[in-house]
Amino acid sequence: METYLVDWISLIVRWLHVITGIAWIGASFYFMWLDNSLEEPPQWKKDKGIKGDLWAVHGGGIYEVAKYHGAPEKMPEHLHWFKWEAYSTWLTGMVLLAVIYYLGAESYLIDRRVADLSQWQAIGLGLTFLAGSWIAYTALCISPLAKNGWLLAVVLLILGGFVAWGLSQLFSGRGAYIHFGAIIGTIMVGNVFQVIMPGQRKLVGALEAGETPNPEWGARAKLRSTHNTYLTLPLLFIMISNHYPMTYGHAFNWAILLAIVVITAVSRQYFVLRHVNINRPAILGAAMAATVVLAIAIAPKPVVISENGLAANDLAPRAHGIIRERCSSCHAAVPTDDVFTTPPGGVMLDTVEQMQQWSPRIKARSIDSHDMPFMNKTGMTDVERGVVAQWINAGSPAS
């Protein structure tokens, strides 16, 4: 019953996390597009202090958006602030992290093949990485490096590589990936909370007082907003990465993660440039080519069969027995595992017919990536994986 309750909590929080994430990312993308799409207004609008404007049509209506150099002739009574989307996304994400990866550390975060940690050691390390990464990032953004955007990006990428590698030496593959994503999310919401929003409050306060705003406020907010927009696509990948063990389950999962961060961030650059009517499809082409190269580089190698001498009529019964022993505790109509109350992904391996039906997924998850059995809880050996691979390669015979 406890597992069932946790599943419902996870479902509700994940649902809220996705909803708030869509709202935050949508607002971020919209304002990045809006800021880069403003056109020079007519003189009469310039005389009113308007820096740029934009006309759009949506939902059967015509919209006019204007951006002022400073304050409008009269400050509006209601000024909309975009912040709760970011805060809600981060808060629901942290609750999800706690429910799945901290309460369930023994199942999802700790992989004793990687590091023999206790639950509290794993939680402490995870939170240390989150806090330490934010502190290091903030220090770099207020250092002289911040004056050179490209140099700062290179330094941040190098440090990100060390963080990804460090996480991969402590946690399970999916635990390492989700913590890297949590670090990105923390940096993004920290930018909103500690830099962007305070800068906007100072700007509005100065305008209401009839004072000239300090340009440094806008420069700092612009830098952090730019970082946020390039971190968005890497974060979205990490949010779905647990479905793709060929990435997090690879021996060099940290390098794969870093490569995908670069590929997705570069892809974002194409759309940023399109906002200012610069079309460079070569950027997307390069990103696609890099993705193909990555996919080829990490493609699973042919399995070396360790157990020889199995007669053809012995192979199928042996493979079926291995699958029942190592996989069916979770993947059954009524799982006996202590974590899963229903078969993960709806995959059931109670019968030979079901084993044949799911043999391609068995190969992908247990042979090619070793992602299953989950954290190898049932102790599947390389010899057993070889037997199952031989059975699948033989066409998954029933007998």
Side-chain angles (χ1 to χ4, degrees), residues 155-178:
V155 172
L156 288 172
L157 182 63
I158 293 172
L159 290 179
F162 280 110
V163 169
W165 176 83
L167 290 169
S168 72
Q169 303 305 301
L170 296 171
F171 302 140
S172 67
R174 65 175 67 190
Y177 271 42
I178 207 68

Side-chain angles (χ1 to χ4, degrees), residues 272-351:
V272 171
L273 292 176
R274 284 290 291 137
H275 298 337
V276 290
N277 295 318
I278 298 176
N279 185 21
R280 292 183 179 172
I283 294 176
L284 286 183
M288 292 174 64
T291 303
V292 171
V293 170
L294 178 64
I296 294 172
I298 68 174
K301 304 299 186 290
V303 176
V304 177
I305 308 301
S306 301
E307 184 171 312
N308 298 314
L310 279 175
N313 59 343
D314 292 333
L315 177 61
R318 175 85 170 108
H320 300 161
I322 291 170
I323 293 172
R324 287 193 183 95
E325 182 181 0
R326 303 305 187 192
C327 308
S328 294
S329 58
C330 297
H331 293 286
V334 182
T336 58
D337 186 79
D338 60 343
V339 173
F340 300 104
T341 57
T342 58
V347 177
M348 292 182 284
L349 302 172
D350 292 312
T351 67

Side-chain angles (χ1 to χ4, degrees), residues 33-368:
W33 169 82
L34 178 62
D35 201 46
N36 289 327
S37 301
L38 293 172
E39 299 178 357
E40 185 174 352
Q43 188 59 47
W44 67 270
K45 286 189 176 182
K46 291 181 181 179
D47 294 339
K48 296 178 64 174
I50 294 176
K51 179 180 180 180
D53 67 354
L54 175 75
W55 290 82
V57 58
H58 181 73
I62 304 296
Y63 295 81
E64 179 187 11
V65 182
K67 181 178 181 179
Y68 285 82
H69 273 290
E73 297 175 6
K74 180 182 179 182
M75 288 294 289
E77 182 178 351
H78 299 290
L79 187 62
H80 294 281
W81 300 76
F82 290 83
K83 56 183 179 179
W84 291 111
E85 299 91 341
Y87 301 160
S88 300
T89 302
W90 185 81
L91 288 171
T92 53
M94 289 303 295
V95 172
L96 204 58
L97 179 69
V99 170
I100 297 178
Y101 288 91
Y102 290 167
L103 289 180
E106 295 286 347
S107 300
Y108 290 95
L109 183 58
I110 300 170
D111 186 343
R112 303 202 184 280
R113 297 169 295 177
V114 177
D116 190 9
L117 302 172
S118 69
Q119 181 183 23
W120 289 109
Q121 285 175 328
I123 294 172
L125 286 168
L127 294 176
T128 298
F129 266 95
L130 288 178
S133 297
W134 165 249
I135 292 170
Y137 167 78
T138 302
L140 287 171
C141 285
I142 61 176
S143 73
L145 275 177
K147 297 178 181 178
N148 188 322
W150 284 106
L151 182 58
L152 177 60
V154 170
V155 172
L156 288 172
L157 182 63
I158 293 172
L159 290 179
F162 280 110
V163 169
W165 176 83
L167 290 169
S168 72
Q169 303 305 301
L170 296 171
F171 302 140
S172 67
R174 65 175 67 190
Y177 271 42
I178 207 68
H179 270 83
F180 197 88
I183 287 171
I184 292 178
T186 298
I187 287 173
M188 291 174 68
V189 79
N191 284 340
V192 174
F193 182 72
Q194 288 202 334
V195 179
I196 297 172
M197 290 306 301
Q200 290 178 349
R201 292 191 188 98
K202 292 177 182 177
L203 170 67
V204 172
L207 293 176
E208 289 178 335
E211 301 171 353
T212 301
N214 186 342
E216 188 66 24
W217 302 337
R220 290 173 184 169
K222 183 66 174 179
L223 174 66
R224 303 300 183 94
S225 293
T226 300
H227 288 178
N228 278 10
T229 199
Y230 285 105
L231 290 173
T232 301
L233 296 187
L235 183 59
L236 286 175
F237 160 75
I238 294 171
M239 288 175 68
I240 64 171
S241 65
N242 67 314
H243 296 289
Y244 303 99
M246 71 275 198
T247 58
Y248 69 77
H250 196 276
F252 292 97
N253 52 12
W254 64 272
I256 295 169
L257 176 59
L258 203 64
I260 292 175
V261 166
V262 172
I263 290 170
T264 51
V266 168
S267 299
R268 180 67 183 133
Q269 172 68 2
Y270 169 80
F271 295 99
V272 171
L273 292 176
R274 284 290 291 137
H275 298 337
V276 290
N277 295 318
I278 298 176
N279 185 21
R280 292 183 179 172
I283 294 176
L284 286 183
M288 292 174 64
T291 303
V292 171
V293 170
L294 178 64
I296 294 172
I298 68 174
K301 304 299 186 290
V303 176
V304 177
I305 308 301
S306 301
E307 184 171 312
N308 298 314
L310 279 175
N313 59 343
D314 292 333
L315 177 61
R318 175 85 170 108
H320 300 161
I322 291 170
I323 293 172
R324 287 193 183 95
E325 182 181 0
R326 303 305 187 192
C327 308
S328 294
S329 58
C330 297
H331 293 286
V334 182
T336 58
D337 186 79
D338 60 343
V339 173
F340 300 104
T341 57
T342 58
V347 177
M348 292 182 284
L349 302 172
D350 292 312
T351 67
V352 172
E353 291 75 15
Q354 289 171 334
M355 296 177 193
Q356 291 175 311
Q357 174 190 354
W358 292 105
S359 59
R361 297 306 300 162
I362 294 173
K363 182 178 184 299
R365 302 298 291 265
S366 298
I367 310 304
D368 294 342

